[in-house]
Amino acid sequence: MYSYEDRIRAVTLYIQLGKRVATTIQQLGYPTKNSLKSWHREYEQGRALKTAVVRPPKFTAEKKARSVEHYLTHGRCVAFTIKALG
């Protein structure tokens, strides 16, 4: 996921280069063609990009610790740990 500053940098460069997708991607090394076009469309419609959406973590710290403990105490087998904990 790219930061807000990275996305703005890509969009402004894309506009400066005359909306050339390949040249923009070559200079920056990111994003994909479809991402760049999507960011530009969003920028043109609202004159700003949305800030990044922060999602809550998928697993709690307690569940992570329990998984690591199970892995270390039951033969260090990932497949067994996944099967046991789900």
Side-chain angles (χ1 to χ4, degrees), residues 1-7 29-32 35 39 52:
M1 181 172 236
Y2 297 103
S3 69
Y4 179 79
E5 291 79 21
D6 290 339
R7 292 181 289 149
Y30 71 93
T32 62
S35 293
W39 296 344

Side-chain angles (χ1 to χ4, degrees), residues 5-60:
E5 291 79 21
D6 290 339
R7 292 181 289 149
I8 286 292
R9 185 179 310 118
V11 170
T12 55
L13 183 61
Y14 176 66
I15 293 168
Q16 287 174 356
L17 294 175
K19 298 183 181 178
R20 294 183 184 155
V21 175
T23 309
T24 305
I25 294 171
Q26 285 174 349
Q27 284 193 14
L28 293 175
Y30 71 93
T32 62
K33 172 183 71 169
N34 291 334
S35 293
L36 181 59
K37 288 182 177 182
S38 172
W39 296 344
H40 178 258
R41 191 175 325 113
E42 185 179 327
Y43 179 81
E44 288 294 318
Q45 289 174 353
R47 301 306 293 172
L49 295 175
K50 296 176 191 167
T51 56
V53 177
V54 178
R55 288 185 252 162
K58 190 171 183 179
F59 300 104
T60 64

